[in-house]
Amino acid sequence: MVKELIKATVKEQVDEKSGVYRIYCYQKNRPLIIKRLLGSDVKGILSIGQTENLRRRLQNFIRGTEIGQGHSSGNRYWFYNLSDKRKLGNHVLKFSVKYTSHHKHME
């Protein structure tokens, strides 16, 4: 099952289970186009990963966006002050998670 959520719902809706996650940046209910070295990411993906504890990993990302001490992608979001509306406009971070039965199955 894939769940899509916003930052405020991670703690309540994400279990402490293994799985894969994607973190997106949305603007006006559409993915924000992110310019990359080799082209543009039209899906607005900030980070993709796998973990043994989805709730903890996403909470680490959120902490990184808020104080610069957490998941490396969240730390960069904070470092470049991307929450400033002058940089990315009015945007929201969204998360999708897919649970797996065991971490080794994701390799």
Side-chain angles (χ1 to χ4, degrees):
M1 171 177 70
V2 176
K3 286 187 175 183
E4 288 193 20
L5 358 112
I6 58 170
K7 188 169 146 177
T9 61
V10 167
K11 187 174 182 179
E12 294 82 21
Q13 294 188 23
V14 177
D15 295 329
E16 294 181 338
K17 294 181 179 177
S18 62
V20 294
Y21 62 91
R22 288 185 183 181
I23 302 170
Y24 302 89
C25 188
Y26 270 66
Q27 196 175 57
K28 298 180 182 176
N29 292 321
R30 293 185 178 158
L32 182 67
I33 296 173
I34 299 173
K35 294 181 181 177
R36 307 269 190 215
L37 180 63
L38 299 175
S40 295
D41 177 357
V42 298
K43 294 181 181 180
I45 298 172
L46 294 178
S47 184
I48 299 173
Q50 64 184 28
T51 182
E52 292 183 30
N53 187 324
L54 282 164
R55 182 187 299 164
R56 182 176 58 225
R57 179 63 58 92
L58 294 179
Q59 287 179 317
N60 283 340
F61 174 84
I62 292 167
R63 187 175 60 247
T65 67
E66 294 171 346
I67 62 172
Q69 297 176 349
H71 185 286
S72 59
S73 293
N75 295 347
R76 283 191 300 276
Y77 183 91
W78 174 84
F79 180 80
Y80 292 110
N81 196 24
L82 297 180
S83 61
D84 185 340
K85 289 181 171 61
R86 293 174 290 180
K87 295 192 177 184
L88 293 180
N90 193 17
H91 67 280
V92 64
L93 299 177
K94 293 187 177 186
F95 306 84
S96 72
V97 298
K98 182 175 181 181
Y99 297 108
T100 59
S101 59
H102 194 274
H103 186 67
K104 291 189 178 213
H105 291 185
M106 295 183 287
E107 296 174 350

